[in-house]
Amino acid sequence: MNDDFPSSKLERGKIFAKAGLKVGTNYAKRYLKKSMGQQESDEEGRQFHTDNARQVFNEFTKLRGTALKIAQSLSLDEGVLPGEFAEVMSEAQYSVPPINKALARSIIKKELGDYPEALFSHFEPEAIAAASIGQVHEARLRDGQKVAVKIQYPNVRNTIHSDMAMAKSLVKRLAKRGANLDDYFDEVEATLMEETDYRREGEYIEYFHRRFSGESVVTPRWIEKLSSRKVLTMTFVEGKHLKELLETDPSQQQRNHFGQLLWDFFHDQVEQRNFIHADTHPGNFFFRDDGRLGVIDFGCVKKFDEEFTQNYMQLLPMHLEGDEKAIRDLYTRLDIIKADPDNPKKEEEFFQFCKNYGNTFARPYMGDHFDFGDPSFKRRINHYARKMPIMNEPRGDKNFIYSTKVHMGLYSILMKLQARIDTRRSKEITKQVLGEMKSDPAI
């Protein structure tokens, strides 16, 4: 695997086609069995989706880049794909094979002007982490400081557009009927193009360090002199990933502590009314022995426009107050429902579904404390995510693609932690920000 990195459009197209052929063959065999009257048990259905996902994931790991970024995103989107598929795709957060050592060295030489052994006092040739568009190596500066060096895979930027077109064709075979994925893929493509500029990520690293790093949160620092658009050097952040933490069977106190840090970090960003760390998946957080939360990977950072932010901030208080007319008006402004629908009955059913989903989403804010380990809450969230009636045309403001991903990603981690959260300060932040925005004459 390490020696096989397909970077041309032709090579990558062959792998996408191979994955598509496997999926198509599997579905054809399944359809044939059903047409001949063979019944499929629930267990057989789950195994079918798991095997299908495993074959697609294995091909995606060869491609890295866009394919694995899609896999990461799909691991959180159980409303689009079968749950078994999302579960397999979650491995994209942890289990990606690295490129070979010689290729990694040559990229550093090309980008920084010399080989790593000449630039660092020590450079670990084996990657310690490999993700969608780059892999990370441990190194030490001349003064002994430990750093992480992220190296972008070859030709990632040039393959994004063609990869997206091929991946969209493949994923449409797997998605639930009626799913419109065009906006989804367009937004992922635009964000990926931004993520391939590591200098831009370095600037975001510095922004988040200035505003959030301290007694509760640890973020890296950017080492600008050893960075380029395709190589990023930053100070090293230690800690356990969520999966590693859970394997230690943490106490409820530990779960609550780290869950509160995650919850507060999210709402502190809301309070700043500026940039949001928009890649809320477990691979980007470290749970440290000193009790602090480590936050990494600032490639996907978003700033939502003021009009959307004000409307989005009103969703929570509207649902808490339960004023159906106000909720309906807000949903119309956010393009969730249509003011003049072709099918009023269907539109009303959709509104009631979304309203009930929103009420469930607002439950953590209804009291002063909330238990994300409550199995009934998880069942309700999963029920709405899986039953979400995806329409044949885009619904909702385009900013929802990442705002919802951030919020749902937070809930997903907290449910896995089974953390109990104090929500009093977060509710005050929400009210304060909404009040400031309403009183701002520029909005």
Side-chain angles (χ1 to χ4, degrees):
M1 174 66 68
N2 287 358
D3 296 322
D4 179 22
F5 184 84
S7 58
S8 74
K9 183 177 178 180
L10 178 60
E11 289 176 303
R12 298 177 73 79
K14 287 180 179 178
I15 294 175
F16 272 114
K18 183 179 179 182
L21 181 61
K22 286 182 177 179
V23 169
T25 301
N26 292 342
Y27 271 91
K29 288 179 179 177
R30 187 191 195 199
Y31 176 78
L32 181 61
K33 287 180 180 179
K34 287 185 175 182
S35 67
M36 295 175 66
Q38 296 183 31
Q39 297 297 316
E40 180 181 77
S41 68
D42 290 343
E43 178 58 32
E44 287 173 332
R46 286 191 291 270
Q47 191 61 48
F48 170 80
H49 291 306
T50 299
D51 292 344
N52 233 2
R54 174 64 53 200
Q55 291 181 340
V56 172
F57 179 76
N58 288 342
E59 297 304 320
F60 274 18
T61 57
K62 298 174 186 176
L63 292 162
R64 301 175 180 85
T66 308
L68 279 179
K69 180 60 69 172
I70 293 167
Q72 283 183 351
S73 299
L74 294 178
S75 72
L76 301 175
D77 294 332
E78 294 184 7
V80 175
L81 295 175
E84 295 81 12
F85 195 96
E87 184 177 343
V88 170
M89 286 302 177
S90 68
E91 294 181 28
Q93 299 162 10
Y94 307 107
S95 307
V96 182
I99 57 175
N100 69 67
K101 302 171 189 177
L103 182 54
R105 289 181 74 248
S106 67
I107 292 171
I108 290 178
K109 171 69 163 61
K110 180 179 179 182
E111 292 295 316
L112 302 183
D114 214 334
Y115 289 109
E117 54 268 26
L119 299 171
F120 302 93
S121 64
H122 173 75
F123 181 87
E124 180 56 52
E126 298 286 348
I128 59 171
S132 52
I133 65 172
Q135 65 186 45
V136 180
H137 293 254
E138 182 182 320
R140 289 194 180 272
L141 302 180
R142 293 299 180 191
D143 63 5
Q145 185 175 22
K146 191 175 181 180
V147 295
V149 183
K150 184 157 72 169
I151 304 169
Q152 190 173 125
Y153 300 136
N155 209 28
V156 166
R157 190 178 183 88
N158 295 335
T159 61
I160 287 174
H161 183 71
S162 58
D163 271 11
M164 291 302 298
M166 290 184 284
K168 180 161 62 174
S169 175
L170 174 58
V171 171
K172 279 186 174 181
R173 299 186 189 185
L174 299 161
K176 296 177 182 179
R177 177 179 290 184
N180 186 305
L181 301 175
D182 291 343
D183 281 0
Y184 178 89
F185 274 85
D186 288 346
E187 182 64 21
V188 171
E189 180 174 343
T191 302
L192 266 172
M193 292 297 288
E194 294 176 354
E195 287 188 55
T196 57
D197 185 351
Y198 282 175
R199 285 196 169 276
R200 181 175 172 277
E201 182 175 349
E203 292 169 357
Y204 284 138
I205 286 174
E206 288 301 286
Y207 167 84
F208 276 84
H209 183 83
R210 289 193 305 270
R211 282 164 173 74
F212 301 105
S213 197
E215 293 182 2
S216 300
V217 174
V218 178
T219 64
R221 298 297 307 272
W222 182 31
I223 311 298
E224 186 176 1
K225 65 181 180 181
L226 291 171
S227 299
S228 71
R229 283 187 64 183
K230 297 180 180 179
V231 174
L232 175 64
T233 302
M234 67 203 106
T235 55
F236 201 93
V237 177
E238 307 272 4
K240 298 182 181 72
H241 283 300
L242 177 63
K243 187 177 180 180
E244 296 169 321
L245 175 71
L246 294 178
E247 286 172 351
T248 69
D249 191 22
S251 67
Q252 188 62 53
Q253 183 179 6
Q254 287 176 293
R255 293 169 182 269
N256 297 346
H257 171 75
F258 284 119
Q260 192 69 52
L261 293 184
L262 278 162
W263 183 263
D264 290 342
F265 175 64
F266 170 77
H267 289 90
D268 287 343
Q269 293 175 81
V270 171
E271 186 176 31
Q272 291 282 331
R273 285 176 56 189
N274 205 334
F275 296 108
I276 296 286
H277 182 287
D279 205 356
T280 311
H281 74 74
N284 289 338
F285 298 96
F286 287 119
F287 303 91
R288 294 166 50 90
D289 291 340
D290 64 6
R292 292 190 290 175
L293 176 71
V295 185
I296 62 168
D297 199 338
F298 297 89
C300 182
V301 171
K302 292 292 182 182
K303 183 174 183 179
F304 304 112
D305 64 64
E306 294 283 7
E307 181 180 0
F308 170 79
T309 303
Q310 182 176 137
N311 286 327
Y312 188 77
M313 293 297 292
Q314 291 183 62
L315 281 170
L316 176 61
M318 290 287 189
H319 278 281
L320 294 179
E321 291 169 8
D323 185 335
E324 185 163 310
K325 183 180 184 305
I327 294 173
R328 191 184 297 272
D329 291 342
L330 182 58
Y331 278 13
T332 303
R333 292 200 300 275
L334 284 166
D335 296 325
I336 296 172
I337 62 171
K338 299 175 181 179
D340 186 22
D342 295 332
N343 188 332
K345 182 180 178 181
K346 182 179 178 182
E347 196 72 9
E348 181 62 22
E349 290 175 354
F350 183 63
F351 167 70
Q352 293 298 331
F353 181 94
C354 291
K355 184 191 72 173
N356 292 331
Y357 190 9
N359 289 339
T360 300
F361 208 79
R363 276 186 62 191
Y365 298 88
M366 289 180 179
D368 291 340
H369 299 83
F370 187 76
D371 183 2
F372 278 92
D374 180 356
S376 67
F377 177 71
K378 182 176 182 178
R379 284 196 299 270
R380 286 181 65 85
I381 283 286
N382 288 342
H383 165 76
Y384 284 110
R386 289 171 180 166
K387 298 293 184 181
M388 185 71 181
I390 303 170
M391 313 304 283
N392 287 325
E393 76 271 20
R395 287 296 185 106
D397 187 291
K398 65 178 183 179
N399 290 284
F400 270 119
I401 296 171
Y402 277 94
S403 64
T404 303
K405 180 181 176 182
V406 171
H407 221 148
M408 277 303 297
L410 174 66
Y411 279 22
S412 176
I413 296 174
L414 292 175
M415 286 189 290
K416 288 173 182 175
L417 268 176
Q418 298 181 350
R420 298 168 188 157
I421 304 300
D422 185 327
T423 63
R424 287 174 291 185
R425 179 171 167 269
S426 58
K427 288 189 289 188
E428 289 302 315
I429 288 174
T430 303
K431 292 177 183 176
Q432 174 190 332
V433 171
L434 183 57
E436 290 172 355
M437 297 187 77
K438 285 184 174 181
S439 63
D440 188 342
I443 302 175

